[in-house]
Amino acid sequence: MDKKEIAKVLEEIADLLELKGENPFKVRAYRTASRSLLNFEGNFKKLVEEEKLDELEGVGEHIAEKITELFETGKLAYYEKLKKSTPPGMLQMIQVHGLGPKKVKALHKKKIRSIEELKTAAEKGKVAKIRGFGKKSAQNILDSLAHREAYQKRTLWWDAMTIAEPILEGLKKLKGVQKAEIAGSLRRKLETVGDLDFLVAASNPKPIMKWFTSLPGIQRVLASGETKSSVKLEGGIQADLRVVKESEFGYALCYFTGSKEHNIKLRDRALSCGWSLSEYGLAGARKTKKAATEEDLYKILGFSYIEPELREDRGELQAAEKKKLPHLIEVKDIRGTLHNHTTSSDGKSTLREMAAAAKKMGWEYLGISDHSKSSFQANGMDEKRLLAQVEEIRKLNASKSLGIYLFSGLECDILADGKLDFPKKILDHLDYVIGSVHASLTQNEKAMTRRIIKAVENPSLTILGHLTGRLLLRREPSRVDAQKVIDACIANNKIIELNGHPLRLDMDWRLWHKASEKGLLCCINTDAHHADNHQFILSGVNAARKGWLEKSQVINTVSLKEMQKLLKSRKN
DNA sequence: GCCGTTTTCGGCCCGACTGTTTTCAGTCG
């Protein structure tokens, strides 16, 4: 069993224990261990084999044993036994919003033992008669069941932002609103988010709550109180609003931005200073220690300011303590991108349209990299069309009519055996070559790793495109030993792309910090298939920031002259 | 079940909101 599957089993054990009425801290221990496992980036196999699982936070002797058993045999006696003693329907029912272990048990006692039985019972008014339930509970259960799938799914950061921004603007315009911000994972720029969090500073929350809970497009109001409201928007995404006093805003913003793990560490620090940190302030601190902003709060606790993107408990607090946080790259540092498609393959905009839009972005150059012939589904170019495009770009550059310099590139297929789609003599005509995997995505890890490394060792390749081919929320990443590929790229002087398309964000930000420390260089691209797609540079830079990247580690922050030099030197 | 500048037991975040009940348990984040 792999890491992900094992984490899922641990999570399920937590649910099962909860249903049994076990000690809540024991339940939490399993959840913590599960999350810790998912967050681990290193070589999991090695960790298990060298019996170093207990080095993971929240994994002790007992859970380590269970993980090992699952890893080695794919089974766990303890888990099987637990499952046997709990009807499967109860596990499903605990997933329903509003139903926890106690309520599921109460339902079970009344012989309601599956989602289907729950639905029927709620419709027939049976649920409303159970002690602890009522008419409203029954209706809420029916609502939750009707939208079960939509309520559970996550949303791409990009899509969530297009929903959140108008709401934020609306909040800012309301009378009495002193401050308004987006918080939560949306503010941390996580690639997908579960809900939208808003925070407002105002002395009178009532009219703000009223505005929020009567927004157009609200499917259901989940909660609406003095300081906190939750709604479900059309499409199923949840939006939460908290209103605090202006003096509390900095604390509250930090608290609601998270991550949870980051906050726990922050509270630890406060405790060790003899204070108690909450969303409302720093209790016990002397009056002079009253923080007004997040910057002040971090300073009081002995840290330099930590950008929201870094608040994932991945070493940022240790670095902030030593004043060694990176100076994160910004969108304005970008001078052009190198992975762009045109109507020559599967793009929707012409070469000139792509160039004009890039100029509008304020960029100095744009690399054109249409698909190669094997990407038949994407109208990949054959040799003749490719060379014609190279000629067209050469002429456009010579005429200086575009106001922006174009590089001739190619997104060249890495074939199943690791060979590139064109021979060297063709690729030699280009300024650079991006190698990407588009077919045979389901190869096993060994074959895929060997395939990609073979391409990386090919002197014609400049940049490795979207490492895993994942499509967030749609397609799983292909199995590849990322560490080995990173090492091969460094050894062969190759760049890895951070594909900034909101669906991809590949290579994953979690791998960049360590990789860049080893010396790997990054190219942030948009994989634009339309002139409007240059905007995706924002999501690419977000991911780079989450990966601790600085300007100097990203090649497409250099000037045109330097880029020409860089690409030329890498061709030899 | 985990963890420990209080080394092996005792603590582990806690406040907001709902819906029920009749003063608060359950759920959520």
Side-chain angles (χ1 to χ4, degrees):
Chain A
M1 235 184 219
D2 67 19
K3 191 183 78 169
K4 220 169 155 183
E5 291 168 314
I6 294 173
K8 210 176 151 200
V9 171
L10 294 179
E11 193 62 46
E12 217 165 278
I13 289 174
D15 284 341
L16 288 162
L17 291 174
E18 205 166 27
L19 282 167
K20 286 192 80 168
E22 259 287 0
N23 173 0
F25 297 109
K26 187 170 167 179
V27 174
R28 192 192 294 172
Y30 277 94
R31 295 202 201 282
T32 310
S34 170
R35 216 176 24 234
S36 191
L37 210 55
L38 282 178
N39 284 338
F40 176 70
E41 294 300 337
N43 188 332
F44 181 62
K45 192 169 176 247
K46 213 171 136 194
L47 196 73
V48 180
E49 284 169 356
E50 291 179 1
E51 300 185 2
K52 286 181 177 167
L53 275 167
D54 58 358
E55 285 180 8
L56 292 176
E57 230 176 303
V59 176
E61 192 191 336
H62 292 98
I63 294 187
E65 271 172 19
K66 293 185 173 82
I67 294 174
T68 308
E69 193 177 333
L70 282 165
F71 182 79
E72 283 171 356
T73 68
K75 276 188 199 153
L76 177 62
Y78 174 71
Y79 171 57
E80 297 302 327
K81 206 174 140 194
L82 263 179
K83 267 207 297 196
K84 234 181 215 167
S85 67
T86 317
M90 288 176 85
L91 262 185
Q92 288 175 7
M93 284 197 281
I94 208 172
Q95 308 294 335
V96 177
H97 184 96
L99 292 186
K102 301 264 171 69
K103 291 205 159 168
V104 168
K105 253 193 277 180
L107 289 166
H108 191 254
K109 251 189 196 159
K110 297 284 174 186
K111 300 208 166 29
I112 298 169
R113 294 179 176 175
S114 69
I115 293 276
E116 293 72 31
E117 287 174 6
L118 176 63
K119 187 162 179 264
T120 318
E123 283 167 347
K124 287 188 176 161
K126 268 169 80 179
V127 169
K129 284 186 191 136
I130 301 171
R131 188 181 167 81
F133 292 78
K135 269 191 179 159
K136 281 192 174 173
S137 309
Q139 189 54 49
N140 281 341
I141 287 170
L142 285 174
D143 285 344
S144 297
L145 282 176
H147 304 289
R148 194 154 99 248
E149 270 177 34
Y151 284 0
Q152 279 173 5
K153 73 172 195 228
R154 296 181 69 81
T155 306
L156 290 181
W157 180 86
W158 191 271
D159 296 340
M161 213 49 202
T162 60
I163 304 169
E165 264 171 346
I167 298 177
L168 180 68
E169 289 316 305
L171 282 168
K172 281 183 174 169
K173 279 185 198 142
L174 288 181
K175 214 177 139 193
V177 170
Q178 292 147 326
K179 282 177 181 162
E181 285 286 353
I182 284 169
S185 50
L186 199 58
R187 181 163 182 246
R188 298 201 314 278
K189 320 277 171 68
L190 207 55
E191 62 270 42
T192 65
V193 302
D195 61 5
L196 315 177
D197 294 307
F198 299 96
L199 182 69
V200 161
S203 46
N204 180 16
K206 245 187 197 160
I208 297 157
M209 288 301 177
K210 197 174 168 218
W211 179 85
F212 184 73
T213 52
S214 49
L215 277 170
I218 283 186
Q219 206 174 52
R220 199 174 145 198
V221 177
L222 294 172
S224 150
E226 278 282 299
T227 64
K228 182 182 162 184
S229 290
S230 294
V231 299
K232 283 284 182 194
L233 301 172
E234 269 164 14
I237 195 164
Q238 181 169 330
D240 297 336
L241 171 67
R242 296 283 297 236
V243 181
V244 297
K245 287 185 212 146
E246 199 178 10
S247 60
E248 298 161 347
F249 192 77
Y251 301 100
L253 184 58
C254 186
Y255 184 88
F256 291 115
T257 297
S259 66
K260 199 174 174 174
E261 291 78 11
H262 177 90
N263 284 350
I264 289 171
K265 294 267 164 81
L266 269 187
R267 278 200 298 272
D268 266 4
R269 167 56 64 95
L271 278 175
S272 68
C273 297
W275 309 322
S276 158
L277 178 64
S278 77
E279 60 261 56
Y280 300 114
L282 203 49
R286 277 169 293 161
K287 270 207 174 121
T288 48
K289 303 236 181 237
K290 267 216 150 164
T293 64
E294 279 188 324
E295 283 83 352
D296 298 331
L297 175 57
Y298 280 105
K299 202 173 159 191
I300 291 167
L301 294 173
F303 302 110
S304 48
Y305 177 69
I306 301 173
E307 299 281 358
E309 292 92 325
L310 297 183
R311 301 183 197 169
E312 300 288 354
D313 187 26
R314 300 177 70 89
E316 70 277 10
L317 285 159
Q318 292 89 321
E321 194 170 7
K322 295 182 198 142
K323 314 266 179 254
K324 283 199 170 146
L325 282 174
H327 188 77
L328 296 180
I329 183 171
E330 295 176 47
V331 171
K332 67 172 169 53
D333 295 328
I334 299 291
R335 312 278 271 269
T337 59
L338 298 182
H339 185 167
N340 298 287
H341 298 271
T342 72
T343 45
S344 291
S345 63
D346 61 346
K348 299 284 177 280
S349 304
T350 64
L351 189 55
R352 281 171 181 277
E353 287 165 345
M354 291 299 286
K359 187 172 181 294
K360 255 196 185 159
M361 296 290 291
W363 293 343
E364 295 172 38
Y365 48 85
L366 189 73
I368 302 300
S369 59
D370 274 306
H371 287 284
S372 62
K373 60 179 191 276
S374 287
S375 271
F376 191 74
Q377 77 292 344
N379 186 27
M381 301 181 296
D382 59 18
E383 190 171 311
K384 205 172 142 197
R385 277 162 57 206
L386 174 64
L387 294 178
Q389 189 186 56
V390 171
E391 184 57 19
E392 188 188 358
I393 289 174
R394 197 190 61 77
K395 277 184 183 159
L396 280 169
N397 280 335
S399 76
K400 295 195 170 152
S401 60
L402 295 173
I404 184 168
Y405 187 86
L406 296 180
F407 287 107
S408 288
L410 175 73
E411 184 179 19
C412 186
D413 266 60
I414 297 175
L415 305 177
D417 61 0
K419 286 202 187 94
L420 295 180
D421 204 9
F422 285 118
K424 180 173 184 306
K425 66 171 199 236
I426 298 293
L427 298 176
D428 275 349
H429 289 274
L430 301 162
D431 293 319
Y432 67 95
V433 174
I434 299 175
S436 302
V437 168
H438 289 114
S440 306
L441 292 165
T442 51
Q443 283 176 329
N444 64 44
E445 182 173 319
K446 221 172 172 180
M448 182 61 87
T449 306
R450 204 180 325 129
R451 170 188 187 181
I452 293 178
I453 289 178
K454 187 172 172 195
V456 164
E457 287 169 348
N458 188 322
S460 293
L461 185 136
T462 325
I463 300 172
L464 177 62
H466 48 67
L467 173 64
T468 71
R470 75 174 180 189
L471 297 177
L472 292 164
L473 308 174
R474 287 192 204 170
R475 183 169 77 203
E476 286 295 303
S478 54
R479 282 160 298 189
V480 56
D481 187 331
Q483 294 307 331
K484 278 193 182 148
V485 172
I486 288 166
D487 290 340
C489 282
I490 294 167
N492 289 281
N493 205 22
K494 299 298 160 73
I495 296 150
I496 295 188
E497 162 184 88
L498 200 175
N499 190 307
H501 194 291
L503 257 175
R504 293 187 180 270
L505 298 171
D506 189 10
M507 178 169 96
D508 192 283
W509 60 264
R510 293 161 188 85
L511 297 172
W512 276 107
H513 181 195
K514 213 165 121 196
S516 67
E517 271 187 346
K518 284 188 185 171
L520 181 70
L521 287 178
C522 173
C523 181
I524 307 177
N525 286 319
T526 62
D527 206 345
H529 283 72
H530 188 282
D532 292 342
N533 291 167
H534 292 323
Q535 301 294 339
F536 293 160
I537 195 64
L538 174 61
S539 86
V541 170
N542 283 344
R545 287 167 65 85
K546 287 197 83 63
W548 294 50
L549 291 181
E550 304 193 338
K551 184 178 168 182
S552 62
Q553 293 159 332
V554 178
I555 62 159
N556 49 325
T557 58
V558 302
S559 69
L560 170 59
K561 260 203 177 142
E562 286 171 86
M563 183 59 93
Q564 284 170 321
K565 227 165 81 186
L566 186 151
L567 293 180
K568 210 168 181 187
S569 76
R570 285 183 183 248
K571 264 186 80 172
N572 305 319

